[in-house]
Amino acid sequence: MATLVYTQFVFLLLFQSSVWGFPVRQTPQESPTCGYKSCHATKPGMLNVHLVPHTHDDVGWLKTVDQYFYGDRNDIQHAGVQYILDSVVDQLLKNPDRRFIYVETAFFYRWWKRQTDDMQNTVKQLVNEGRLEFVNGGWCMSDEATTHYSAVVDQMTMGLRFLNDTFGHCGRPRVAWHIDPFGHAREHASMFAQMGYDGFFFGRLDYQDRSRRMAAREQEMLWRASESLTPPMADLFTGILPNGYNPPEGFCWDQSCDDPPIRDDPDLEDYNVDDVVTRFLSIAHTQALVYKTNHIIMTMGSDFQYENANLWYKNLDKLIHYVNQQQSNGSKVNVLYSTPSCYLQELHRTNLTWPLKGDDFFPYADSAHDFWTGYFTSRPALKRYERISNSYLQTCNQLEVLGGPISRKGPFGAGDSETMKKAMAVAQHHDAVSGTEKQHVANDYARRLANGWAHCQVLVSNTLSSLSGSSAPRVYCEHLNISVCPLTETSKKFSVNVYNPLARPVSWPVRLPVNGTAYSISDANGKAVDSQVVPVSQATAAVRRGRGYAVNELLFQVQAPPLGYSTYSVSLLQNGAPSPQASPLPRAPKAVQNKFLRVTFDPETGLLSSLSNLETQQTVKLSQNFYWYNASDGKNSESIQMSGAYIFRPNTSTPFIISKTAKIETLQNSVVQEVRQWFSPWVSQVVRLYTDSRALELEWTVGPVPIGDDLGKEVISRLDSSINSSGVFYTDSNGREMLQRRKDYRPTWNLRQSEPIAGNYYPINSRAYIKDDKDQLTVVTDRSQGGGSIQDGSLEIMLHRRLLYDDVRGVGEPLNETSDIYPEGLVVRGRLLLSLSPPATAADTHRPLAQEVVLQPLITFTDGELHPNTRLEFSGLQAVLPPAVHLLTVSQWDQDSVLLRLEHQYQASESKEHSQPVSVNLQKLFSTLDVLGVSEMNLSANQWKDEMTRLDWKAESGEKPLPKREGDPSMWEVNLKPMEIRTFLLRVRQR
Ligand SMILES: *[C@@H]1O[C@H](CO)[C@@H](O)[C@H](O)[C@H]1NC(C)=O
Ligand SMILES: *[C@@H]1O[C@H](CO)[C@@H](O)[C@H](O)[C@H]1NC(C)=O
Ligand SMILES: [Zn+2]
């Protein structure tokens, strides 16, 4: 209903198009009572205790998201979200003073769909009166260490859109709430600020940091979450909750708790009101000592609580009554039902200044030997699947827009992007892509993603068929990374369609499993393309395990236009075994090089020995090898902590080398040069240099990690270079801005280091680097991984973990992944891309490189000869966007409008050439769409930009935020400054 109204309203605007944005918007039905206005009054001269009834509902962990929703499998964990919402609504109606917050829209949406109109109206009423308040409001509460910003923005957008569509203005959360994630990323804070949140609360931070902040009363602060964006754009008020997210000790009244209820009938036995009040006052006074104001917050709830909400509310009503009754006896404590935003409002009203925070909250340790740095890498296969699923979703979204209605219902049936959007949103949860769920739940996330792919494939086929004019069935090969594709293995003639989701042209190496020895390939203009056929490596044949039987791989380089595709035709010329020249040689070359890079090898060991950039004439010594840390089994004098899904705790600080030397095969031809290194039956690698690449590829294959020796293993790839990195390295935050990391050091407190390896590990989402004055070595990863720089010049990245013990953080399973195809342990394959540059220009290489890995081309096939009228090339853009601009989102919003996000992908001062403001003309963007109207929104697209007002907060440093951004050159011409993301709703018409 809401969207319909909106569409009509947009239509009106066509006639007023000289005005920036849509001039007339429906003024939201401003309810007098929701939001900050609905807060209970506090008492100025007293200590005000804000009781926040809440439930923490994991979108999958020990049970799947749907098992949690229904309350299925209560033998695993007693938890049923549908009952929680039923019960809470019932209890809120019993007393208008009561409050409840709800967080995870994935669950709320499931519940809402099944309610009657009456119930929905009742709930709307509760929301309009601020009695039920949404906080955070994304589809899930995302993980912060292993997520990529693109997927986080999407999942927040989806959850917040549902809330806005359903409840309007009163459904918009004011507060971000990440009470459980295991450490906090600066980029998340930056995103929350740009999504319009007034404040942010969380529960977990390093135990040393917490105790210092408690003593200094610095548990509440202003997080300046970007070095590039002009304050206060990325400033976020941030508060640390007092008990994680649990109630104070002795005050848990859920059915899952054993604390005594309030027994307030003096005629009965065990009357305890005096005792309860005394204990409560004492806790409140103690808590007030470690916060700055005369307001404190208490989270009254925990995991999956409030299934029988009467227990909680009955006792909270009494607690409030009896504690406040003491005011007549001179007590200066006032207790009230509250919400995080009501608490935040009171903090804001104090006009205080707050300490400024510039770094992030990684790594998180809850005790001296308990660093939560293992999950940065846990379940590497799921982490990769999640990452390529994001790439695929973006492609699916783009093709939905470019294809128009036919994409959803075309020659190949009904396709949609919605299934994938939901699967990806669920996968961002802090026990999903983080790898900290039970095995059956990990399987469920993967299954949902696979289902999303299937729905997107229909959509993609419809659009490509419509754009190309060919309705030939389209074939998808999802196992090209292990050289499996039934079509290319058998076909004598087929075509390859390469769709590029980036806004600039890409050149991309293609590697197809084949059984012929020679092929002719022509591009979209009919020009012959150089290709090579090489034998499938033994490592690849070993991983694919009988799925596919290609003996060879066909290699060639493809080019694809921006937001478009190019088609290549492939014909078999010759069958049989590859020519002897195509076969690898059994020794390491002295060097391999292309026009950009040169790498040398040590002839004795077969390992890398140096890397040179031929354009800049710089060379560093560089070796690389694989090692494993012996995971602690807890039988240790210092601590019984074991390594597990969350925790990384090596038994010793010296990792074991897998092999000092590698067996080598070398393959050199006009398309690629590869040095295939074999270290052990479970570790191999290909060092690969494509002819026109500025990056050296290290394709690693690790597994099944052997555990016959009863030792858990955490496998790393370590680069050792001559770069004088002085104890410093750099990692990205959620794939965007870079953060400096210093060994055994934290920017905000004096660290007592107790875990020399695990305590120096940080999340790497897309890249890390080390540098000195002359050289910067950057590693781009293909998924989130953990890593560190333990020695100067060294950079290690954890690739795979196989563990024998649970780490006692609740998951209750050792991280020991097997599958039907790999019963003796998962084999995982991935890539690291290395580049060497002067520090001043390094970003010019690693920014586009990382982007090509995040948004990779989609390759599809059709069998046989193409119809002569087939359109072989297409671009959805009128022109290539400037190199600094990334097209972050192109997604159908409703029938006539498209959500567009443009991002400046360079940091301030990062690149002489690209860290400059740049502008884009929205009307000159798309080749197939006319843009008729435009309106700017906040980052999460749940608020018009010009209606976005956030609470302003003052930093202790006293500096005043600069005035607001200057305007754009014109209505259609929009400016982007370094690291800026701008979100627009475009009204469009297909040309
Ligand atoms: C929020 O939803 C209302 C209808 O509930 C709609 O009128 C409004 O345009 C939406 N706001 C945004 C920013 O989408
Ligand atoms: C905060 O500042 C405002 C405006 O200057 C003032 O009205 C208000 O009384 C101040 N509040 C406190 C608690 O000092
Ligand atoms: Zn959780």
Side-chain angles (χ1 to χ4, degrees), residues 66 173 448 549 599 636 780 864:
D66 288 337
R448 282 168 198 275
Y549 59 99
V599 265
N636 181 290
V780 167

Side-chain angles (χ1 to χ4, degrees), residues 2 6 26 164-169 893 937 941-944 985:
Y6 168 67
Q26 295 175 309
N164 185 61
D165 286 352
T166 311
F167 299 104
H169 151 83
W893 186 258
M937 304 175 104
N942 64 328
Q943 218 184 354
W944 307 109
L985 195 58

